[in-house]
């Protein structure tokens, strides 16, 4: 699986790795089903929610790598 970057669209992450949804919810990104998530990048979402994008990317990529190993 490809690495998630700041330019990756939130909706695309949820399509390829739905197991990441609880992580988004835990950091306050509760609008995963809203239309904005289908076109918003990780970096844009982090700016709106006051989240450090590098920390989120690290955790997302860990979860996806763990999911690939299963």
């Amino acid at each position: 699986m490809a690495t998630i970057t700041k330019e990756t669209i939130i909706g695309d992450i949820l399509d390829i790795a739905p197991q990441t949804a609880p992580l988004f919810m835990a950091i306050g990104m509760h609008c995963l089903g809203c239309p904005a998530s289908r076109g918003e990048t990780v970096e844009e979402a982090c700016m709106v929610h006051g989240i450090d994008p590098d920390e989120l990317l690290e955790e997302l990529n860990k979860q996806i790598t763990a999911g690939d190993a299963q």
Side-chain angles (χ1 to χ4, degrees), residues 21-44:
L23 173 60
F24 287 107
M25 298 294 281
I27 62 172
M29 293 185 182
H30 299 136
C31 57
L32 298 181
C34 77
S37 76
R38 300 310 305 173
E40 193 169 51
T41 66
V42 170
E43 185 171 41
E44 291 167 336

Side-chain angles (χ1 to χ4, degrees), residues 1-2 4 16-17 19-20 57-70:
M1 178 167 295
I4 295 172
I16 60 171
Q19 73 272 19
T20 61
L57 288 169
E58 181 179 345
E59 189 57 38
L60 286 169
N61 284 302
K62 275 188 212 175
Q63 284 193 12
I64 289 175
T65 301
D68 284 348
Q70 292 179 358

